[in-house]
Every structure is written in C-alpha cells, then in structure tokens.
Amino acid sequence: MCGIFGIFNIEKAEKYAFFGIYALQHRGQESVGIASSDFEDVKVVRKEGLVLESIKKEELSQISGYCAIAHVRYSTAGDSGGINSQPIIMETPLGKAAVVHNGNLTNYLALREELQAQGIELSYTSDTELFLKLLGRGQFIPEGIEIHPLDREIMPAIFYVISKVKGAYSLLYLFKDRIIALRDPMGFRPLLMGRLKDAILFASESCAFDILQAEIWREIKPGEVLVVDKHGIRSYFPFKSEKKAMCIFELVYFSKPESYIFDNWVYRVRKRMGELLAEEDEIEADLVVPVPDSGLVAAIGYSQKKSIPLELGLIRNHYVGRSFIEPTQELRDIKVLMKLNANRAVLESKRVVVIDDSLVRGTTSKKIVNMLRRAGAKEVHMRIASPPVIGPCYFGIDTPTRDELIANRMSIEDIRRFIGADSLKYLSLEALRATVENPEDFCDACFSNCYPLEVEGSTLRIR
Ligand code: SF4
C-alpha cells in the first residue's frame, strides 16, 4: 500500500506536499519522498522512514516550487527500503518527469522483459518505473478521443503507457509545468481531487485535504486521465471503464475512518459493518471491547445495535515507533504488548465481545485473547467485522501468501481453538457487500476468492 499526494499552483508547494503526505502516513511507513517543480525544473527529495522524522527543513527549501507530488511507501512490489522509494524521477523524451504510484501492475514481469528485450535498462525493481520508461516509446490515440491542442504532444504518449499497463494504479505524473492524474479503469485504489483557493490538490484519501483546510472537489473517476496546468483542467477517458473493482479492504481497514473515498464516508461504512455483525450475532455479553484503532468504528456500530456498553478494554500505546530489535522467543509476545495493553479496570469478571476489523494470520488475535483473559475477562468472544481472508491480493495490498492465511488452512472452529476464544464469528460476505451501495463495483477477492482480473503467473477464478 502507498499514499500519494499532489498540489498544483501554490507558492511553496513542497511544504503543502509535506503536510499532505504526513496525513497519509498510515498508508506507508517505509519511505517518503516529495518532488517539486518551479516551472523550470523538477527536483526530488527521498528518504527512508517516517515523514516527520526523515525530511529536514533545509532539504525541503532546496526543492521549493509551485507544484509538487509526494508519496509514502509500503512495499507491495519490488524490494522494500530506499532503492524503490518514490517519487521516481528521470529524463524522458517528454522532458524531466517524476511519478508517484499507488497500486500494483499485474503484467509487470512481461512488460519488464519486453523492455529489456529492446535493450532498455531498468534501474528499479518496482513496477512504478515502467510509467516513466514507457513514456515516449509509442503513441496511441483511442478512437473517438479528441485531444485538446495544449495536450497534443503529451497525451498520445500517456495513452500509449495506459494501453500497455494492466492492474491497479492511482498515479500522479509531475512535469515541469503540469500534473497528470491517472486512475486505472477498474478504479482499484482511491484518488481524489481537492481545491484550496487557486490551487488544485490530489490525494489518496480526503484526510490529506483536511490538514490543509482544503475542500474535497471530486474523485478522479476510474479510467480518467486528468491534466492540470496554468491554462486549467482537462479530462479524458481514453479506455472504457466497463467493470469496476474498487478495493473493499480500503473501507474495512486501510483508509482512515474520517476519510471520504469511493463515494463513501469510511466511518459510515465501517460502522455499518459493526451493526450488521451485531444483527447476525446471538451472543450475550457485558462489554464490547474494540481492538484499537482499526476495530473501533465497527465496535461502536456493534455496541449501539446490541445495546451492550462499549469500554476501552484494550489501550493502545501511541509512542511505538519502528522496532529494530527482534524479540527473543521468550519475549515473543512483546511486539503486541508494546502496542496494546489490557485494561483490568473494566475487564475483571466480565463477558467480553472483542471486535477487530479483520483476522489474517491469527497470531495477533491469539495474543489479544490471552491478554484479555490474563486481565480477568470471564469470557472472550472474538468478532471480526469482515469475512475470513482466504485469498491474497495482487492489486496493491500487502496480504500474506495463500498458505499464510489462517482461514485457508483451518475451519472457523479450528481458528477459534487456535486463538483460544470462547467463540468466534465473522461478518458474512453478503453483509459486507450490503454495506456499500453498488457491491458489484467493488473487488472483494481476498474474501470471496473471485478475482476481477487475470494476473500473470496465476490461475485465478475470475468473476
Ligand atoms: S483482493 Fe482484497 S485487498 Fe486486494 S484489491 Fe481486492 S478487496 Fe482489495
């Protein structure tokens, strides 16, 4: 997963980009980068680590400009760490350009081989580089598409790139005098446009606009290519968006609850997940306890629906940074204990329903159940506000391999035994789909094993 941000037409754009990308830190903590243009040249700063800790004031002032794009990275394709951090920047036949990408190309290896066969050197091991390497290698004008005179040079080259790549991409190009925003025709990852006085903004989630007191304008639509320059905004739809596949996991877990994405307020959808989980559940209990922070909103919905009080039975430590010390076997619980602590004051002798957003490997849930029991809970009933995760993601979320997904190896009863809970229940797939207005426009492949798109090297069930 990654977060992307862009801003056009404002003095000190790099500073706005810094705060905008900071608001998207939850989407990636491995590296951060900002590229900026003063309408003459495109410059970049890229660092490993968190936004606030890595980029220094002096480094920002060296890239001062009027438009900027930024990125936080959580690797899903390519090596993690510095080498693949973004924005990637290079000279292209269309001038110097930088690019930031959220998503995952499903035909990366084939494209890579194709380019290498033509003698083109690739310097990175991530798919994002291809968006620059393919620029200027061909031109394509889809039938019926009229290109504005200002875009005649650049747009056929961009359409050519889009005609070659497959998979998930919400992406921003920065050229010295313009930003181009792209969203793949299936719309896997979110991308929004906002306004702040005369400036135009782009972001993976609307929470990045809030920090700058900018307003949400609209989403970049699946399949849309949007150009913004000094002359204004121009929008193209070069390829039909026949089947949409917006990632439902963004609503389950990934996006911030206060964000607006995919025409939905995340908070409302997540709360509804909790309400529907409650409707499907017969259990009687004294307390509802959310797993902070991602289980909190669903727990509110569950608690209100069931009229069972919600208490903070698990408290999160907000000062956990990245730990480079791997705990020894004897201290194997320490990683979870660093993040969460059970609150004996509310748990003692209580029948507890604990709500989490998802259950992937099961190891964290096991530790949480154990923690709640040690703090005096009489019964622990684990409830998951999404269905069992049974398939890996090929479209930009870093889920484990199929074998590592516990629901792929064990029955629900076996998982319950493994995590040590008195009972275990998941939200049904039907109920998850009922939380959004047009479920057919969403990808839920990791829950249904029914994929929206073919992936090279895999034999998947395609919906
Ligand atoms: S497979 Fe799951 S995580 Fe990946 S895009 Fe689809 S819903 Fe999202």
Side-chain angles (χ1 to χ4, degrees), residues 140-344:
F140 185 68
I141 304 179
E143 230 182 275
I145 294 289
E146 194 139 326
I147 297 181
H148 190 282
L150 289 166
D151 300 328
R152 280 207 183 122
E153 194 194 346
I154 208 161
M155 221 26 90
I158 299 279
F159 294 161
Y160 173 77
V161 176
I162 302 173
S163 73
K164 298 292 284 181
V165 295
K166 292 197 176 75
Y169 54 90
S170 278
L171 184 131
L172 298 172
Y173 278 110
L174 173 70
F175 293 89
K176 69 175 185 188
D177 57 352
R178 71 189 84 189
I179 289 179
I180 302 181
L182 265 59
R183 195 163 161 216
D184 67 76
M186 294 181 124
F188 279 101
R189 301 279 145 233
L191 184 60
L192 290 103
M193 181 159 65
R195 275 189 286 222
L196 178 65
K197 296 179 196 146
D198 294 332
I200 304 294
L201 296 84
F202 301 94
S204 300
E205 294 177 38
S206 66
C207 64
F209 300 153
D210 299 338
I211 194 171
L212 301 171
Q213 298 179 47
E215 57 178 275
I216 303 171
W217 186 351
R218 68 170 176 87
E219 302 215 41
I220 301 298
K221 299 194 177 87
E224 184 170 10
V225 179
L226 189 134
V227 193
V228 51
D229 64 11
K230 276 184 194 160
H231 304 281
I233 296 173
R234 300 173 295 282
S235 161
Y236 299 92
F237 288 87
F239 299 98
K240 281 210 181 85
S241 167
E242 277 157 1
K243 185 161 81 170
K244 292 191 191 117
M246 297 180 286
C247 170
I248 208 156
F249 215 87
E250 290 269 359
L251 298 170
V252 167
Y253 165 70
F254 216 82
S255 298
K256 289 277 289 297
E258 72 271 32
S259 280
Y260 182 85
I261 57 160
F262 301 151
D263 280 329
N264 282 282
W265 289 104
V266 176
Y267 190 96
R268 285 189 196 155
V269 178
R270 216 168 271 174
K271 190 171 172 195
R272 187 81 190 118
M273 288 167 190
E275 288 166 356
L276 293 181
L277 185 63
E279 277 177 18
E280 293 179 338
D281 196 4
E282 302 285 307
I283 202 79
E284 286 183 12
D286 305 311
L287 292 181
V288 172
V289 167
V291 175
D293 289 328
S294 52
L296 180 59
V297 182
I300 292 170
Y302 185 99
S303 145
Q304 289 178 357
K305 195 74 183 177
K306 283 276 218 193
S307 301
I308 301 174
L310 182 144
E311 293 283 0
L312 300 182
L314 290 164
I315 308 291
R316 185 172 159 192
N317 183 345
H318 286 272
Y319 303 99
V320 183
R322 283 159 66 102
S323 167
F324 295 101
I325 306 162
E326 276 301 310
T328 59
Q329 192 58 21
E330 296 80 60
L331 296 174
R332 65 190 181 281
D333 286 347
I334 215 157
K335 266 192 167 170
V336 173
L337 292 170
M338 276 171 79
K339 280 192 203 150
L340 292 176
N341 199 8
N343 181 6
R344 187 172 279 272

Side-chain angles (χ1 to χ4, degrees), residues 370-391:
N370 188 21
M371 193 186 279
L372 292 169
R373 286 205 198 281
R374 271 193 284 120
K378 194 163 76 181
E379 292 173 19
V380 179
H381 302 278
M382 178 64 83
R383 294 294 179 266
I384 307 296
S386 62
V389 178
I390 51 174

Side-chain angles (χ1 to χ4, degrees), residues 30-55:
E30 268 178 24
S31 65
V32 52
I34 300 173
S36 161
S37 165
D38 53 6
F39 295 135
E40 301 284 333
D41 192 17
V42 181
K43 292 180 186 154
V44 71
V45 51
R46 280 189 306 239
K47 287 300 183 73
E48 278 183 56
L50 302 175
V51 179
L52 290 185
E53 290 166 9
S54 333
I55 296 192

Side-chain angles (χ1 to χ4, degrees), residues 188-189 246-253 358-360 386-402 405-408 426 429 432-433 442-452 460-461 463:
F188 279 101
R189 301 279 145 233
M246 297 180 286
C247 170
I248 208 156
F249 215 87
E250 290 269 359
L251 298 170
V252 167
Y253 165 70
S358 55
L359 195 156
V360 180
S386 62
V389 178
I390 51 174
C393 178
Y394 301 93
F395 315 115
I397 288 210
D398 187 28
T399 50
T401 61
R402 206 173 277 276
L405 299 168
I406 192 168
N408 234 357
Y426 291 83
L429 187 56
L432 176 72
R433 287 176 175 159
F442 282 82
C443 172
D444 54 28
C446 48
F447 303 117
S448 63
N449 226 348
C450 203
Y451 287 81
L460 301 172
R461 190 152 62 92
R463 69 171 204 226

